[in-house]
Amino acid sequence: MTSSGNHEQEDHYDQEGEEEEEEEDDDNSDEYDEEDEEELEGGGNSGESAETKTTSGGAAHGICFDASLLCGSQSQHGRGRRRRRRKGDGSLMGRFLDPRASWVREWNRVILLVCTMGLFVDPLFFYVLSISDTYLCLFIDGWFAITMTVLRCMMDALHVWNMWLQLKMARHPYGAGRDGTVAGNNHGNGRPAALRYLKAKKGFFFDFFVILPLPQVVTWMVIPGLLKRGSTMSTMTVFLIMFLFQYLPKIYHCVCLMRRMQKHSGYVFGTIWWGIALNMIAYSVASNAAGACWYLLGLQRTMKCLREQCTHMDGCNPSFLASQRPIYYGTSSLIKDRSRLIWAENRKPRVTCLDSYDNYEYGAYKWVIYLVCNGSRFEKILMPIFWGLMTLSTFGNLESTAEWIESVFVIVVLTTGLLLVTMLIGNIKVFLHATTSKKQGMQSRMRNIEWWMSRRKLPPQLKQRVRNYEWQRWAAMRGVDECEMIKNLPEGLRREIKYYLCLDLVRQVIEEQHIHIAFEQTQWIGD
């Protein structure tokens, strides 16, 4: 190849790049389809050997290439041309976001983890209710309620920011840049994108519903009012209804977010181990929710026992079961009326309801009596999670009474455990198979190569070179055959992919030839 020929080929590639950019400006709909292919991950890899770099020169001339034939690193010039952004009006609403941009995908993963944390935090509000071992009355743990409220508000703030981003999210981002922003041109206006988000069934109002501060309102306003009126039994019922009213849609919201991420990128986190971790996190969240409901229903059963003991005691009023200071911070006494000390000093309610579960029909809630008066918040949270994991994993060994609420709760927990364990085992089997199948294929290929080299009696030097090539090829793409991946693509798309991957290599070869020619000319002049 001569120097003039090198300049002509380089100019030819530059002209093709300029023509492609002009076509992108003229036809934005075609660009949207082409960017779906450009956003796929797993491009060039670095660290190839000298043999693989030498072979990659053939790929630039149209030869089929595999993982070891791809160009290793992209030059700054090649990357700079593809990072150019279109200029918009620069205003806040003049740019909206491409849902397939890299940072948007990372933000969606963060929001997915935040949703999961929200599913874990909401059941913890149940543990703000406790029974005083000294006065035998129900109260709210003030400091724990503050902690849960702060955590919930922090996650709600992230959800609000995500809703603002969704208002600026383009569903059809024509002319999207690499930074994920789209200029406010006629093809993509921020107002229609925001209106689509506002009118969607799973859009703005659904996102707004899942961040309503229902647990905070119930904890700080509803329950204190019920306790002041002495309605201890209805306290747990209202708490459980308001929790399920928002918690079940939050689960569906988290599933919708995961499906939307899979729709845009084809995966959630992109690694096998993250898939296993998500299944384990879902199992832990279900165990925490089941354990929290078990604690709340067990607390209700304990209050029922204390209420029955109060009705059989002279001079006891059911209002004594509620603290006169509903929210307790540990700085003052829970009661103001000294007449309540008669109820608190009675040994029979304590022995019947709190000391042992054999004296009352607790059924599936028999272990709760050791938690309702426990001052350790860590033990109060950890024990129900352990109960939830054990129940969801063993599918039985629960003693139930004749009450229908307890029977329904046990049926729901056992059915959910059966479904979760089935899904967990199935998904982990799929993930492990996907992880080990390529390694097993590589090991089988190496055994076949070793058998062939031994049969043909190749010399040790050639055997070692073959082994090095195979292991370098495996280290480059981990067993992915790129030639097999692109052979079914359209011819024009295959040509553009080869042009994109090998343009920098061709330019590097041209520059090296220019240096070699200049060096020869310098030597000729010196001679």
Side-chain angles (χ1 to χ4, degrees):
M1 184 184 295
T2 62
S3 176
S4 60
N6 295 336
H7 286 293
E8 291 176 359
Q9 186 174 359
E10 187 175 2
D11 295 338
H12 173 69
Y13 284 131
D14 294 337
Q15 290 174 2
E16 285 187 359
E18 294 175 357
E19 291 176 357
E20 289 179 1
E21 291 178 358
E22 292 176 358
E23 291 176 358
E24 289 174 358
D25 294 334
D26 295 335
D27 193 357
N28 289 325
S29 61
D30 292 338
E31 180 187 8
Y32 178 74
D33 296 333
E34 292 173 3
E35 284 187 357
D36 285 335
E37 300 295 335
E38 292 179 3
E39 290 294 333
L40 294 176
E41 299 178 357
N45 291 272
S46 59
E48 288 83 352
S49 63
E51 290 185 23
T52 57
K53 289 183 179 180
T54 304
T55 315
S56 59
H61 296 284
I63 301 176
C64 182
F65 52 94
D66 56 7
S68 63
L69 302 180
L70 290 178
C71 308
S73 59
Q74 303 294 334
S75 65
Q76 296 297 330
H77 177 72
R79 276 193 287 226
R81 292 181 60 205
R82 293 171 178 81
R83 286 184 179 176
R84 288 188 296 180
R85 296 167 49 184
R86 289 205 177 108
K87 295 182 180 180
D89 53 4
S91 63
L92 185 61
M93 296 304 295
R95 291 186 180 274
F96 54 100
L97 305 176
D98 179 10
R100 295 165 297 121
S102 59
W103 75 269
V104 176
R105 290 201 302 267
E106 294 296 332
W107 172 253
N108 287 334
R109 292 167 185 170
V110 172
I111 286 297
L112 180 61
L113 294 178
V114 170
C115 291
T116 306
M117 287 299 299
L119 294 177
F120 192 87
V121 169
D122 282 2
L124 299 181
F125 276 91
F126 290 165
Y127 302 116
V128 302
L129 295 176
S130 297
I131 296 177
S132 173
D133 189 29
T134 304
Y135 302 107
L136 298 181
C137 59
L138 185 67
F139 69 96
I140 297 176
D141 187 351
W143 293 113
F144 190 73
I146 291 175
T147 303
M148 292 297 101
T149 302
V150 171
L151 289 177
R152 173 63 191 267
C153 292
M154 291 172 59
M155 287 179 286
D156 289 345
L158 293 176
H159 278 289
V160 170
W161 176 249
N162 182 64
M163 292 169 60
W164 168 248
L165 294 180
Q166 292 295 326
L167 287 172
K168 295 168 64 63
M169 194 77 69
R171 291 298 178 260
H172 298 286
Y174 303 113
R178 288 283 176 170
D179 59 347
T181 59
V182 185
N185 48 29
N186 295 328
H187 296 284
N189 192 358
R191 183 174 297 177
L195 290 178
R196 281 193 297 269
Y197 175 62
L198 291 173
K199 295 179 180 180
K201 295 181 180 179
K202 304 174 186 177
F204 175 81
F205 293 103
F206 186 48
D207 293 342
F208 180 75
F209 174 76
V210 298
I211 64 171
L212 289 177
L214 295 183
Q216 297 94 309
V217 172
V218 172
T219 301
W220 293 99
M221 298 179 64
V222 178
I223 293 181
L226 293 175
L227 292 179
K228 288 180 180 180
R229 293 200 300 265
S231 302
T232 55
M233 297 302 296
S234 59
T235 297
M236 279 71 75
T237 303
V238 172
F239 211 161
L240 183 61
I241 291 175
M242 295 303 294
F243 166 75
L244 295 177
F245 179 70
Q246 189 180 42
Y247 194 76
L248 296 179
K250 288 188 73 171
I251 297 176
Y252 182 66
H253 178 266
C254 189
V255 173
C256 292
L257 177 60
M258 187 180 302
R259 289 180 178 177
R260 185 166 66 244
M261 293 174 62
Q262 292 175 344
K263 178 180 178 182
H264 289 308
S265 60
Y267 53 86
V268 180
F269 285 95
T271 59
I272 300 299
W273 298 110
W274 264 111
I276 297 177
L278 284 178
N279 283 269
M280 297 301 298
I281 291 173
Y283 203 80
S284 302
V285 169
S287 301
N288 178 53
C293 294
W294 172 74
Y295 172 82
L296 187 67
L297 294 175
L299 180 63
Q300 188 179 35
R301 182 65 59 85
T302 306
M303 294 305 300
K304 180 180 179 181
C305 176
L306 293 175
R307 190 181 185 88
E308 292 177 358
Q309 295 297 320
C310 181
T311 55
H312 293 88
M313 178 181 173
D314 296 334
C316 180
N317 193 329
S319 62
F320 291 174
L321 300 178
S323 173
Q324 290 181 302
R325 290 185 174 88
I327 303 177
Y328 179 63
Y329 296 97
T331 57
S332 59
S333 178
L334 283 170
I335 62 175
K336 304 175 183 178
D337 189 2
R338 292 297 178 183
S339 61
R340 294 188 176 220
L341 292 177
I342 302 175
W343 158 253
E345 294 173 354
N346 192 353
R347 291 288 303 169
K348 185 178 180 181
R350 195 182 308 275
V351 172
T352 304
C353 302
L354 298 178
D355 289 348
S356 176
Y357 55 78
D358 295 329
N359 301 325
Y360 192 77
E361 293 185 358
Y362 280 100
Y365 315 122
K366 60 183 181 180
W367 291 351
V368 177
I369 62 172
Y370 303 115
L371 302 175
V372 292
C373 298
N374 195 339
S376 175
R377 301 183 181 95
F378 180 75
E379 294 179 1
K380 189 180 293 186
I381 295 173
L382 190 62
M383 183 64 184
I385 294 177
F386 166 74
W387 182 90
L389 283 172
M390 181 186 65
T391 306
L392 294 176
S393 303
T394 56
F395 317 124
N397 299 326
L398 292 179
E399 300 177 3
S400 179
T401 60
E403 291 194 6
W404 68 273
I405 296 180
E406 183 179 356
S407 301
V408 170
F409 173 70
V410 171
I411 291 173
V412 171
V413 170
L414 295 181
T415 305
T416 304
L418 180 62
L419 294 176
L420 286 175
V421 169
T422 304
M423 293 175 58
L424 180 64
I425 295 176
N427 290 334
I428 290 180
K429 181 179 179 181
V430 172
F431 293 146
L432 292 179
H433 175 73
T435 304
T436 59
S437 60
K438 294 180 181 179
K439 293 182 179 179
Q440 292 175 355
M442 179 60 184
Q443 293 173 359
S444 177
R445 177 180 173 83
M446 291 301 298
R447 284 194 298 267
N448 295 335
I449 291 175
E450 290 291 341
W451 175 83
W452 174 79
M453 289 189 300
S454 299
R455 183 177 179 84
R456 295 299 182 183
K457 298 180 181 181
L458 295 181
Q461 295 81 2
L462 292 179
K463 288 183 180 180
Q464 189 62 35
R465 290 181 64 186
V466 171
R467 295 189 192 101
N468 292 339
Y469 171 78
E470 290 295 332
W471 285 115
Q472 289 169 3
R473 187 168 178 264
W474 167 260
M477 291 302 295
R478 310 299 295 179
V480 177
D481 190 356
E482 290 190 334
C483 185
E484 183 70 20
M485 292 174 60
I486 69 167
K487 72 176 184 179
N488 294 326
L489 296 177
E491 182 179 357
L493 183 58
R494 291 201 306 268
R495 184 173 60 252
E496 292 179 3
I497 292 175
K498 293 180 181 180
Y499 166 74
Y500 175 80
L501 295 174
C502 300
L503 177 60
D504 296 331
L505 179 63
V506 173
R507 288 176 174 170
Q508 184 178 358
V509 172
I510 294 173
E511 291 176 359
E512 291 177 356
Q513 290 183 354
H514 287 173
I515 295 174
H516 181 67
I517 293 172
F519 180 74
E520 289 181 350
Q521 291 178 354
T522 304
Q523 286 185 342
W524 180 77
I525 294 173
D527 294 340

